[in-house]
């Protein structure tokens, strides 16, 4: 089975599902999930009303676990909501439903793609996707006033088309390193790194810049 263009195999036409993937789903991907949601609320008010759904899972996910306490602190630093989070192990159904999969590292990306489900064209590391998005002219994307979902699908197609042409300056440039077990200072540096990578992505998805 091949995925319909620009969306997950099981994707609904009125929604666009973003899946963040790391290893344990207790540090990096929860931070990225909740920062994405926070940024979408800043720009759209209610991202669900625009059809955007943000989730996360881990390739060795701690099923049912809370996020790390230091991850909660980082989210609070940004004013994002850490409450109610429950860790998940990455399953086929998560990949099947996702319209865009953003991973912490290249290894996570390879693991997602190896699961099949035509995931290759919609799976990127977070920093890789940021780099590609920066090279896309927003004027070539659908007007967000006509629907954020269609704009998001077009953004993924454009990024996939650029991938072979716009390579990372170094292998490490596309990685977000694991802060698990590290002190809060390292968690905060990872949080800053993720937040900076997300900003142009959310702006491109919504057509709305970060509020000042």
């Amino acid at each position: 089975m091949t995925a319909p263009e620009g969306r997950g195999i099981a994707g609904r036409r009125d929604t666009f599902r973003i899946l963040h993937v790391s290893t344990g789903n207790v540090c990096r991907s929860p931070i990225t999930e909740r920062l994405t949601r926070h940024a979408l609320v800043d720009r759209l008010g209610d991202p669900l009303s625009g059809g955007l759904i943000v989730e996360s899972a881990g390739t060795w996910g701690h099923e049912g676990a809370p996020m790390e306490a230091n991850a909660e602190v980082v989210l609070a630093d940004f004013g994002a909501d850490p409450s109610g989070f429950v860790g998940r192990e990455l399953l086929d159904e998560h990949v099947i439903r996702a319209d865009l999969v953003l991973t912490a590292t290249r290894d996570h990306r390879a693991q997602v793609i190896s699961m099949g489900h035509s995931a290759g064209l919609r799976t990127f590391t977070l920093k890789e996707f940021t780099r590609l998005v920066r090279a896309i002219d927003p004027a070539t994307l659908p007007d967000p006033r006509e629907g954020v979902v269609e704009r998001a699908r077009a953004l993924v197609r454009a990024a996939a088309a650029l991938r072979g042409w716009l390579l990372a300056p170094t292998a490490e440039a596309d990685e977000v390193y694991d802060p698990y077990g590290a002190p809060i200072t390292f968690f905060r540096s990872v949080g800053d790194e993720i937040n900076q990578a997300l900003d142009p992505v959310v702006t491109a998805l919504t057509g709305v810049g970060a509020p000042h």
Side-chain angles (χ1 to χ4, degrees):
M1 179 182 289
T2 58
E5 184 181 27
R7 70 185 220 273
I9 294 171
R12 290 171 47 191
R13 289 209 157 270
D14 57 347
T15 61
F16 184 90
R17 195 176 291 265
I18 303 168
L19 175 67
H20 293 296
V21 175
S22 63
T23 303
N25 194 214
V26 292
C27 296
R28 289 168 291 181
S29 50
I31 290 172
T32 315
E33 173 197 313
R34 294 305 174 91
L35 285 181
T36 304
R37 290 186 186 181
H38 182 64
L40 288 171
V41 168
D42 276 349
R43 289 160 168 80
L44 299 177
D46 179 4
L48 289 176
S49 68
L52 299 180
I53 300 168
V54 186
E55 302 174 310
S56 65
T59 55
W60 292 88
H62 298 270
E63 188 73 30
M67 75 173 79
E68 284 287 294
N70 280 346
E72 293 190 351
V73 171
V74 167
L75 289 171
D77 287 346
F78 286 102
D81 181 10
S83 65
F85 181 84
V86 178
R88 303 192 304 176
E89 182 177 357
L90 181 66
L91 302 176
D92 289 270
E93 67 189 63
H94 302 145
V95 177
I96 288 169
R97 295 187 329 200
D99 298 284
L100 172 62
V101 184
L102 296 176
T103 70
T105 69
R106 292 167 297 151
D107 184 55
H108 297 132
R109 181 185 65 194
Q111 290 181 65
V112 171
I113 292 171
S114 74
M115 295 171 73
H117 315 303
S118 304
L121 291 177
R122 49 197 168 91
T123 302
F124 310 79
T125 76
L126 170 62
K127 287 186 169 182
E128 173 192 21
F129 195 66
T130 301
R131 186 176 70 253
L132 298 171
V133 161
R134 288 184 186 277
I136 296 167
D137 181 356
T140 64
L141 300 172
D143 190 323
R145 291 171 295 186
E146 297 173 9
V148 173
V149 168
E150 287 305 318
R151 182 182 176 91
R153 290 188 186 133
L155 183 69
V156 173
R157 290 194 298 270
L162 275 178
R163 179 150 49 188
W165 300 94
L166 195 63
L167 304 179
T170 65
E172 291 71 32
D174 285 342
E175 306 278 292
V176 175
Y177 291 106
D178 193 355
Y180 186 76
I184 186 61
T185 50
F186 188 66
F187 266 84
R188 284 191 163 119
S189 70
V190 167
D192 287 340
E193 197 177 341
I194 289 170
N195 190 60
Q196 288 175 29
L198 281 174
D199 180 64
V201 170
V202 176
T203 298
L205 284 168
T206 62
V208 181
H212 296 291

